[in-house]
Amino acid sequence: MTRGKRSWDDLSPGQQTTVLTLASIQLSLALTAWTDLAFRPTSEVRGGKGRWAAVIAISFVGPLVYFTRGIRR
């Protein structure tokens, strides 16, 4: 059995729901992190804001790393 590219229509309704749920969570995490980064003073961010903006773009991991390592407490 070969696995080729699957289109949206090839997915079952349950799989489509899972993909949409995970995408929504990822987008929400990223938007929350980018908003926090934009309004947080530079003195409260470890490293450059530009670097963190790029890190946040990395799937689920980026926003989580920003919230755990990027903010000075």
mmCIF file with all atom_site columns, all heavy atoms in Angstrom, residues 46-62:
data_model
loop_
_atom_site.group_PDB
_atom_site.id
_atom_site.type_symbol
_atom_site.label_atom_id
_atom_site.label_alt_id
_atom_site.label_comp_id
_atom_site.label_asym_id
_atom_site.label_entity_id
_atom_site.label_seq_id
_atom_site.pdbx_PDB_ins_code
_atom_site.Cartn_x
_atom_site.Cartn_y
_atom_site.Cartn_z
_atom_site.occupancy
_atom_site.B_iso_or_equiv
_atom_site.pdbx_formal_charge
_atom_site.auth_seq_id
_atom_site.auth_comp_id
_atom_site.auth_asym_id
_atom_site.auth_atom_id
_atom_site.pdbx_PDB_model_num
ATOM 1   N N   . ARG A 1 46 ? 13.257 38.012 27.124 1.00 0.00 ? 46 ARG A N   1
ATOM 2   C CA  . ARG A 1 46 ? 14.630 37.501 27.040 1.00 0.00 ? 46 ARG A CA  1
ATOM 3   C C   . ARG A 1 46 ? 15.023 37.428 25.566 1.00 0.00 ? 46 ARG A C   1
ATOM 4   O O   . ARG A 1 46 ? 14.439 36.667 24.812 1.00 0.00 ? 46 ARG A O   1
ATOM 5   C CB  . ARG A 1 46 ? 14.728 36.106 27.635 1.00 0.00 ? 46 ARG A CB  1
ATOM 6   C CG  . ARG A 1 46 ? 14.427 36.016 29.087 1.00 0.00 ? 46 ARG A CG  1
ATOM 7   C CD  . ARG A 1 46 ? 14.545 34.562 29.550 1.00 0.00 ? 46 ARG A CD  1
ATOM 8   N NE  . ARG A 1 46 ? 13.879 34.353 30.801 1.00 0.00 ? 46 ARG A NE  1
ATOM 9   C CZ  . ARG A 1 46 ? 14.502 34.416 31.980 1.00 0.00 ? 46 ARG A CZ  1
ATOM 10  N NH1 . ARG A 1 46 ? 15.780 34.662 32.038 1.00 0.00 ? 46 ARG A NH1 1
ATOM 11  N NH2 . ARG A 1 46 ? 13.822 34.224 33.091 1.00 0.00 ? 46 ARG A NH2 1
ATOM 12  N N   . GLY A 1 47 ? 16.005 38.208 25.164 1.00 0.00 ? 47 GLY A N   1
ATOM 13  C CA  . GLY A 1 47 ? 16.424 38.219 23.763 1.00 0.00 ? 47 GLY A CA  1
ATOM 14  C C   . GLY A 1 47 ? 15.605 39.204 22.957 1.00 0.00 ? 47 GLY A C   1
ATOM 15  O O   . GLY A 1 47 ? 14.775 39.947 23.481 1.00 0.00 ? 47 GLY A O   1
ATOM 16  N N   . GLY A 1 48 ? 15.818 39.184 21.655 1.00 0.00 ? 48 GLY A N   1
ATOM 17  C CA  . GLY A 1 48 ? 15.148 40.132 20.774 1.00 0.00 ? 48 GLY A CA  1
ATOM 18  C C   . GLY A 1 48 ? 13.718 39.743 20.445 1.00 0.00 ? 48 GLY A C   1
ATOM 19  O O   . GLY A 1 48 ? 13.392 38.573 20.320 1.00 0.00 ? 48 GLY A O   1
ATOM 20  N N   . LYS A 1 49 ? 12.891 40.736 20.292 1.00 0.00 ? 49 LYS A N   1
ATOM 21  C CA  . LYS A 1 49 ? 11.489 40.486 19.951 1.00 0.00 ? 49 LYS A CA  1
ATOM 22  C C   . LYS A 1 49 ? 11.354 39.857 18.563 1.00 0.00 ? 49 LYS A C   1
ATOM 23  O O   . LYS A 1 49 ? 10.481 39.023 18.341 1.00 0.00 ? 49 LYS A O   1
ATOM 24  C CB  . LYS A 1 49 ? 10.682 41.777 20.022 1.00 0.00 ? 49 LYS A CB  1
ATOM 25  C CG  . LYS A 1 49 ? 10.346 42.198 21.436 1.00 0.00 ? 49 LYS A CG  1
ATOM 26  C CD  . LYS A 1 49 ? 9.344  43.349 21.401 1.00 0.00 ? 49 LYS A CD  1
ATOM 27  C CE  . LYS A 1 49 ? 8.760  43.608 22.762 1.00 0.00 ? 49 LYS A CE  1
ATOM 28  N NZ  . LYS A 1 49 ? 7.618  44.524 22.710 1.00 0.00 ? 49 LYS A NZ  1
ATOM 29  N N   . GLY A 1 50 ? 12.212 40.262 17.636 1.00 0.00 ? 50 GLY A N   1
ATOM 30  C CA  . GLY A 1 50 ? 12.159 39.684 16.292 1.00 0.00 ? 50 GLY A CA  1
ATOM 31  C C   . GLY A 1 50 ? 12.423 38.189 16.305 1.00 0.00 ? 50 GLY A C   1
ATOM 32  O O   . GLY A 1 50 ? 11.765 37.414 15.610 1.00 0.00 ? 50 GLY A O   1
ATOM 33  N N   . ARG A 1 51 ? 13.389 37.797 17.113 1.00 0.00 ? 51 ARG A N   1
ATOM 34  C CA  . ARG A 1 51 ? 13.716 36.367 17.239 1.00 0.00 ? 51 ARG A CA  1
ATOM 35  C C   . ARG A 1 51 ? 12.528 35.603 17.809 1.00 0.00 ? 51 ARG A C   1
ATOM 36  O O   . ARG A 1 51 ? 12.161 34.539 17.323 1.00 0.00 ? 51 ARG A O   1
ATOM 37  C CB  . ARG A 1 51 ? 14.937 36.188 18.125 1.00 0.00 ? 51 ARG A CB  1
ATOM 38  C CG  . ARG A 1 51 ? 15.394 34.749 18.213 1.00 0.00 ? 51 ARG A CG  1
ATOM 39  C CD  . ARG A 1 51 ? 16.548 34.585 19.168 1.00 0.00 ? 51 ARG A CD  1
ATOM 40  N NE  . ARG A 1 51 ? 16.031 33.807 20.285 1.00 0.00 ? 51 ARG A NE  1
ATOM 41  C CZ  . ARG A 1 51 ? 16.497 33.827 21.503 1.00 0.00 ? 51 ARG A CZ  1
ATOM 42  N NH1 . ARG A 1 51 ? 17.501 34.614 21.813 1.00 0.00 ? 51 ARG A NH1 1
ATOM 43  N NH2 . ARG A 1 51 ? 15.976 33.094 22.431 1.00 0.00 ? 51 ARG A NH2 1
ATOM 44  N N   . TRP A 1 52 ? 11.903 36.163 18.843 1.00 0.00 ? 52 TRP A N   1
ATOM 45  C CA  . TRP A 1 52 ? 10.766 35.481 19.448 1.00 0.00 ? 52 TRP A CA  1
ATOM 46  C C   . TRP A 1 52 ? 9.570  35.438 18.500 1.00 0.00 ? 52 TRP A C   1
ATOM 47  O O   . TRP A 1 52 ? 8.820  34.455 18.498 1.00 0.00 ? 52 TRP A O   1
ATOM 48  C CB  . TRP A 1 52 ? 10.398 36.117 20.780 1.00 0.00 ? 52 TRP A CB  1
ATOM 49  C CG  . TRP A 1 52 ? 11.326 35.675 21.853 1.00 0.00 ? 52 TRP A CG  1
ATOM 50  C CD1 . TRP A 1 52 ? 12.245 36.428 22.519 1.00 0.00 ? 52 TRP A CD1 1
ATOM 51  C CD2 . TRP A 1 52 ? 11.479 34.344 22.360 1.00 0.00 ? 52 TRP A CD2 1
ATOM 52  N NE1 . TRP A 1 52 ? 12.948 35.650 23.401 1.00 0.00 ? 52 TRP A NE1 1
ATOM 53  C CE2 . TRP A 1 52 ? 12.493 34.350 23.330 1.00 0.00 ? 52 TRP A CE2 1
ATOM 54  C CE3 . TRP A 1 52 ? 10.859 33.127 22.082 1.00 0.00 ? 52 TRP A CE3 1
ATOM 55  C CZ2 . TRP A 1 52 ? 12.891 33.226 24.029 1.00 0.00 ? 52 TRP A CZ2 1
ATOM 56  C CZ3 . TRP A 1 52 ? 11.255 31.992 22.775 1.00 0.00 ? 52 TRP A CZ3 1
ATOM 57  C CH2 . TRP A 1 52 ? 12.253 32.043 23.733 1.00 0.00 ? 52 TRP A CH2 1
ATOM 58  N N   . ALA A 1 53 ? 9.379  36.470 17.708 1.00 0.00 ? 53 ALA A N   1
ATOM 59  C CA  . ALA A 1 53 ? 8.283  36.457 16.734 1.00 0.00 ? 53 ALA A CA  1
ATOM 60  C C   . ALA A 1 53 ? 8.453  35.293 15.759 1.00 0.00 ? 53 ALA A C   1
ATOM 61  O O   . ALA A 1 53 ? 7.489  34.621 15.401 1.00 0.00 ? 53 ALA A O   1
ATOM 62  C CB  . ALA A 1 53 ? 8.222  37.779 15.985 1.00 0.00 ? 53 ALA A CB  1
ATOM 63  N N   . ALA A 1 54 ? 9.697  35.031 15.353 1.00 0.00 ? 54 ALA A N   1
ATOM 64  C CA  . ALA A 1 54 ? 9.961  33.904 14.449 1.00 0.00 ? 54 ALA A CA  1
ATOM 65  C C   . ALA A 1 54 ? 9.777  32.570 15.164 1.00 0.00 ? 54 ALA A C   1
ATOM 66  O O   . ALA A 1 54 ? 9.216  31.619 14.596 1.00 0.00 ? 54 ALA A O   1
ATOM 67  C CB  . ALA A 1 54 ? 11.381 34.013 13.891 1.00 0.00 ? 54 ALA A CB  1
ATOM 68  N N   . VAL A 1 55 ? 10.220 32.486 16.409 1.00 0.00 ? 55 VAL A N   1
ATOM 69  C CA  . VAL A 1 55 ? 10.086 31.235 17.174 1.00 0.00 ? 55 VAL A CA  1
ATOM 70  C C   . VAL A 1 55 ? 8.615  30.890 17.369 1.00 0.00 ? 55 VAL A C   1
ATOM 71  O O   . VAL A 1 55 ? 8.219  29.728 17.263 1.00 0.00 ? 55 VAL A O   1
ATOM 72  C CB  . VAL A 1 55 ? 10.808 31.352 18.545 1.00 0.00 ? 55 VAL A CB  1
ATOM 73  C CG1 . VAL A 1 55 ? 10.446 30.194 19.461 1.00 0.00 ? 55 VAL A CG1 1
ATOM 74  C CG2 . VAL A 1 55 ? 12.312 31.419 18.350 1.00 0.00 ? 55 VAL A CG2 1
ATOM 75  N N   . ILE A 1 56 ? 7.796  31.881 17.629 1.00 0.00 ? 56 ILE A N   1
ATOM 76  C CA  . ILE A 1 56 ? 6.361  31.657 17.844 1.00 0.00 ? 56 ILE A CA  1
ATOM 77  C C   . ILE A 1 56 ? 5.717  31.016 16.621 1.00 0.00 ? 56 ILE A C   1
ATOM 78  O O   . ILE A 1 56 ? 4.764  30.238 16.745 1.00 0.00 ? 56 ILE A O   1
ATOM 79  C CB  . ILE A 1 56 ? 5.662  32.981 18.219 1.00 0.00 ? 56 ILE A CB  1
ATOM 80  C CG1 . ILE A 1 56 ? 6.112  33.424 19.611 1.00 0.00 ? 56 ILE A CG1 1
ATOM 81  C CG2 . ILE A 1 56 ? 4.156  32.865 18.150 1.00 0.00 ? 56 ILE A CG2 1
ATOM 82  C CD1 . ILE A 1 56 ? 5.728  34.848 19.979 1.00 0.00 ? 56 ILE A CD1 1
ATOM 83  N N   . ALA A 1 57 ? 6.251  31.282 15.440 1.00 0.00 ? 57 ALA A N   1
ATOM 84  C CA  . ALA A 1 57 ? 5.675  30.731 14.205 1.00 0.00 ? 57 ALA A CA  1
ATOM 85  C C   . ALA A 1 57 ? 5.889  29.226 14.053 1.00 0.00 ? 57 ALA A C   1
ATOM 86  O O   . ALA A 1 57 ? 5.307  28.603 13.173 1.00 0.00 ? 57 ALA A O   1
ATOM 87  C CB  . ALA A 1 57 ? 6.264  31.453 12.994 1.00 0.00 ? 57 ALA A CB  1
ATOM 88  N N   . ILE A 1 58 ? 6.685  28.617 14.939 1.00 0.00 ? 58 ILE A N   1
ATOM 89  C CA  . ILE A 1 58 ? 7.000  27.191 14.839 1.00 0.00 ? 58 ILE A CA  1
ATOM 90  C C   . ILE A 1 58 ? 5.928  26.374 15.549 1.00 0.00 ? 58 ILE A C   1
ATOM 91  O O   . ILE A 1 58 ? 5.958  26.210 16.763 1.00 0.00 ? 58 ILE A O   1
ATOM 92  C CB  . ILE A 1 58 ? 8.392  26.879 15.441 1.00 0.00 ? 58 ILE A CB  1
ATOM 93  C CG1 . ILE A 1 58 ? 9.451  27.713 14.758 1.00 0.00 ? 58 ILE A CG1 1
ATOM 94  C CG2 . ILE A 1 58 ? 8.692  25.393 15.340 1.00 0.00 ? 58 ILE A CG2 1
ATOM 95  C CD1 . ILE A 1 58 ? 10.805 27.643 15.424 1.00 0.00 ? 58 ILE A CD1 1
ATOM 96  N N   . SER A 1 59 ? 4.976  25.872 14.822 1.00 0.00 ? 59 SER A N   1
ATOM 97  C CA  . SER A 1 59 ? 3.879  24.999 15.274 1.00 0.00 ? 59 SER A CA  1
ATOM 98  C C   . SER A 1 59 ? 3.455  25.261 16.713 1.00 0.00 ? 59 SER A C   1
ATOM 99  O O   . SER A 1 59 ? 3.353  26.387 17.142 1.00 0.00 ? 59 SER A O   1
ATOM 100 C CB  . SER A 1 59 ? 4.249  23.540 15.050 1.00 0.00 ? 59 SER A CB  1
ATOM 101 O OG  . SER A 1 59 ? 5.270  23.132 15.926 1.00 0.00 ? 59 SER A OG  1
ATOM 102 N N   . PHE A 1 60 ? 3.165  24.191 17.453 1.00 0.00 ? 60 PHE A N   1
ATOM 103 C CA  . PHE A 1 60 ? 2.731  24.326 18.842 1.00 0.00 ? 60 PHE A CA  1
ATOM 104 C C   . PHE A 1 60 ? 3.896  24.681 19.749 1.00 0.00 ? 60 PHE A C   1
ATOM 105 O O   . PHE A 1 60 ? 3.732  25.298 20.791 1.00 0.00 ? 60 PHE A O   1
ATOM 106 C CB  . PHE A 1 60 ? 2.132  22.998 19.358 1.00 0.00 ? 60 PHE A CB  1
ATOM 107 C CG  . PHE A 1 60 ? 0.814  22.657 18.761 1.00 0.00 ? 60 PHE A CG  1
ATOM 108 C CD1 . PHE A 1 60 ? 0.725  21.763 17.705 1.00 0.00 ? 60 PHE A CD1 1
ATOM 109 C CD2 . PHE A 1 60 ? -0.344 23.213 19.252 1.00 0.00 ? 60 PHE A CD2 1
ATOM 110 C CE1 . PHE A 1 60 ? -0.495 21.436 17.156 1.00 0.00 ? 60 PHE A CE1 1
ATOM 111 C CE2 . PHE A 1 60 ? -1.575 22.897 18.709 1.00 0.00 ? 60 PHE A CE2 1
ATOM 112 C CZ  . PHE A 1 60 ? -1.656 22.007 17.655 1.00 0.00 ? 60 PHE A CZ  1
ATOM 113 N N   . VAL A 1 61 ? 5.064  24.276 19.354 1.00 0.00 ? 61 VAL A N   1
ATOM 114 C CA  . VAL A 1 61 ? 6.247  24.405 20.206 1.00 0.00 ? 61 VAL A CA  1
ATOM 115 C C   . VAL A 1 61 ? 6.638  25.864 20.419 1.00 0.00 ? 61 VAL A C   1
ATOM 116 O O   . VAL A 1 61 ? 6.954  26.260 21.546 1.00 0.00 ? 61 VAL A O   1
ATOM 117 C CB  . VAL A 1 61 ? 7.426  23.606 19.603 1.00 0.00 ? 61 VAL A CB  1
ATOM 118 C CG1 . VAL A 1 61 ? 8.678  23.785 20.423 1.00 0.00 ? 61 VAL A CG1 1
ATOM 119 C CG2 . VAL A 1 61 ? 7.063  22.141 19.474 1.00 0.00 ? 61 VAL A CG2 1
ATOM 120 N N   . GLY A 1 62 ? 6.614  26.663 19.388 1.00 0.00 ? 62 GLY A N   1
ATOM 121 C CA  . GLY A 1 62 ? 7.066  28.049 19.473 1.00 0.00 ? 62 GLY A CA  1
ATOM 122 C C   . GLY A 1 62 ? 6.372  28.873 20.539 1.00 0.00 ? 62 GLY A C   1
ATOM 123 O O   . GLY A 1 62 ? 7.033  29.464 21.401 1.00 0.00 ? 62 GLY A O   1
#
